[in-house]
Amino acid sequence: MLAGAMTVALADLDDRQESAEIEAWVTAHPDSTPFHRPAWIQAVARGTRQKAAMLVCRHGGAIAGVLPLNRISSVLFGRALVSSGFAVDGGIIADDPAATQALADACWRQAERWGCTTAELRGGMLPEEGWTHKNDAYLGFSKPLEADDEAQLAAIPKRHRAEVRRGLDNQPDIQTGHEELLDVHYRLYAENVHRLGTPVFPKALFSNVLSAFGQDADIMVVSKDGVPVTSVISLYHRGRCMPYWHGASGQARALRSNEAAYFRLMSHARRRGCTMFDFGRSKIGTGPAAWKKTWGWEGVPMTYAVRAAPGHEVRDINPLSPQYRRKVELWKKLPLGLANLIGPHIARGLG
C-alpha cells in the first residue's frame, strides 16, 4: 500500500490532465474493461443526456482505485446510479479491499445526494458491507482466440461449425469501418431489437461511443447481393475484442450471416493483435446464451452489487422479468417506424 492518507473524491472530467491520468491508469489495469474508461461514461452522458461522474480513490496522491458512474434518470424507471451506464461491466477496480469499500461507500453517498433510490455496481471488485451481491441473472462469455482461422473453425463444436461454414459459403461481402457505416448499423440494430420487443437506444449513443473510442471501436457490416443483413459494433481493450451492439435483418438467420459476421470478426480481431474474444453477457437460460455455447464458449456467472434506499426495491429493467412480458409482446406489434420514433425516449432510461 502506498504511504499517505486515503481519499475519495469526484474527478473533474473536464480537466484534460486529470482525465488523461485516469484513462492511463484504467487502460494499464489488468482488470479494467472499456466501461471503466472516462471515454465510456462521457459518451453515455452525451448520447443519452444522462450524467457522468468518476470517483477516484487516492493513496498519498496516487490513484488506488476508480469507480465510473452514470446517473440514469427515467420517468418510468426512477433514478439510479450505475457503474457503468449502458454497460455489462464497469464496477470498482482498486488496489486493495480498503479502497474498494471506500469507493462503494462514496458511491452510495453520491447516490443519496443525487436523489437516486438504487445503485448498481456491475462486476469489478465487490464491496462487502452495505451491498447485496447477485449472480443469478447473467452469464459472461469470454475465451482466448485460436492461432488462425483454421484452428478457430476446428475449435467450434461440430454442429455449429457446419452453420458457420454455410454462412461463409454464401460468400457475403464484409465491410469494416466507423461512423460512415453507422446509418446502416442503426437501421439493422433497430430492426433487431424491435423483433425482441425492446425499445431502441438513441442513435446518438452509438455515435458518441464511436467518436470517443476512435480506433478502439469499429463497425462490421455483412451484406449479400448488396443488401446489408448483419452488423456489429465492437469495442477493443487490452487485447480483447468485444462485439457489443448487434443488428440483423429478417434474412440473417436463413443466410447464416450472423455466423459469418462473428467468425470474420474473430479473424479481424486477430489481425488487430487481440488474443481474447468476449461475447459479452446473456441472461441465464435464454436463446442468446445457448447460441454462444454452440460456438464453444462457456458462460461464467456475473456478479453485481446492488443497493436500495429504505422502502425501495432495487430497480428492475430486465425485459425478461414477468412484469414486462406483456409490454414486450405489445411492443413487438408496434409498427417499426413508430417504435423507432418513441423508443429512444424510453431506452435512454434503461442504462
Side-chain angles (χ1 to χ4, degrees):
M1 183 180 295
L2 296 173
M6 183 175 71
T7 62
V8 178
L10 286 173
D12 181 359
L13 295 178
D14 292 326
D15 183 322
R16 290 187 178 183
Q17 183 174 346
E18 185 172 15
S19 186
E21 179 193 16
I22 296 168
E23 281 273 6
W25 189 89
V26 166
T27 54
H29 197 286
D31 297 324
S32 68
T33 72
F35 314 115
H36 289 100
R37 293 177 56 181
W40 177 267
I41 58 172
Q42 289 176 300
V44 166
R46 289 190 293 267
T48 63
R49 290 180 286 125
Q50 305 288 7
K51 187 174 180 62
M54 177 74 76
L55 285 168
V56 179
C57 179
R58 294 180 183 270
H59 280 156
I63 296 178
V66 301
L67 179 56
L69 297 166
N70 286 109
R71 185 185 68 186
I72 308 296
S73 300
S74 168
V75 173
L76 296 177
F77 305 105
R79 182 176 288 181
L81 194 57
V82 179
S83 176
S84 291
F86 296 86
V88 300
D89 206 303
I92 295 168
I93 48 174
D95 290 343
D96 54 58
T100 298
Q101 190 64 50
L103 284 163
D105 293 343
C107 172
W108 186 247
R109 291 193 296 270
Q110 192 64 46
E112 292 180 317
R113 280 194 290 270
W114 281 348
C116 300
T117 57
T118 185
E120 183 174 329
L121 308 178
R122 295 171 176 167
M125 298 164 190
L126 302 171
E128 294 298 328
E129 299 177 14
W131 297 74
T132 299
H133 297 180
K134 295 178 66 67
N135 64 357
D136 59 351
Y138 296 103
L139 297 173
F141 294 83
S142 184
K143 182 181 176 183
L145 287 162
E146 303 297 332
D148 53 37
D149 283 353
E150 183 178 356
Q152 195 72 59
L153 194 60
I156 301 170
K158 184 177 180 180
R159 179 174 294 182
H160 197 69
R161 190 188 313 151
E163 296 294 287
V164 174
R165 282 196 170 115
R166 286 181 63 183
L168 297 173
D169 288 345
N170 282 325
Q171 297 183 326
D173 296 320
I174 309 289
Q175 282 181 282
T176 303
H178 295 89
E179 291 196 64
E180 72 276 8
L181 297 177
L182 181 56
D183 287 345
V184 172
H185 169 77
Y186 192 73
R187 176 171 55 81
L188 291 170
Y189 177 81
E191 185 178 340
N192 192 45
V193 296
H194 183 249
R195 285 195 301 273
L196 298 174
T198 57
V200 64
F201 291 147
K203 186 178 180 182
L205 172 61
F206 304 141
S207 178
N208 276 281
V209 167
L210 289 167
S211 177
F213 274 65
Q215 294 303 307
D216 292 335
D218 60 27
I219 303 176
M220 176 174 283
V221 174
V222 179
S223 302
K224 180 61 178 174
D225 298 327
V227 180
V229 287
T230 292
S231 64
V232 185
I233 290 182
S234 299
L235 307 174
Y236 302 90
H237 182 79
R238 290 185 57 84
R240 182 179 299 260
C241 172
M242 176 180 285
Y244 197 60
W245 285 305
H246 169 246
S249 73
Q251 291 73 47
R253 179 173 294 182
L255 292 169
R256 304 300 190 270
S257 60
N258 295 333
E259 281 72 17
Y262 284 100
F263 187 77
R264 291 304 185 204
L265 182 57
M266 292 174 193
S267 303
H268 175 65
R270 199 180 299 112
R271 289 192 297 272
R272 285 183 57 113
C274 294
T275 57
M276 297 290 293
F277 195 82
D278 189 340
F279 258 127
R281 78 177 185 189
S282 289
K283 180 77 172 175
I284 293 173
T286 62
W291 186 77
K292 291 171 184 178
K293 289 179 181 180
T294 66
W295 283 84
W297 269 247
E298 291 298 326
V300 176
M302 301 182 72
T303 304
Y304 290 175
V306 295
R307 186 167 178 173
H312 292 269
E313 297 290 331
V314 174
R315 184 182 68 147
D316 182 7
I317 57 172
N318 191 324
L320 300 179
S321 297
Q323 62 178 316
Y324 294 127
R325 285 176 183 169
R326 178 169 171 76
K327 295 181 177 67
V328 166
E329 293 306 313
L330 289 173
W331 192 267
K332 291 178 182 178
K333 296 176 182 178
L334 284 180
L336 180 58
L338 180 59
N340 288 348
L341 180 65
I342 62 178
H345 300 287
I346 299 172
R348 61 180 294 270
L350 295 175

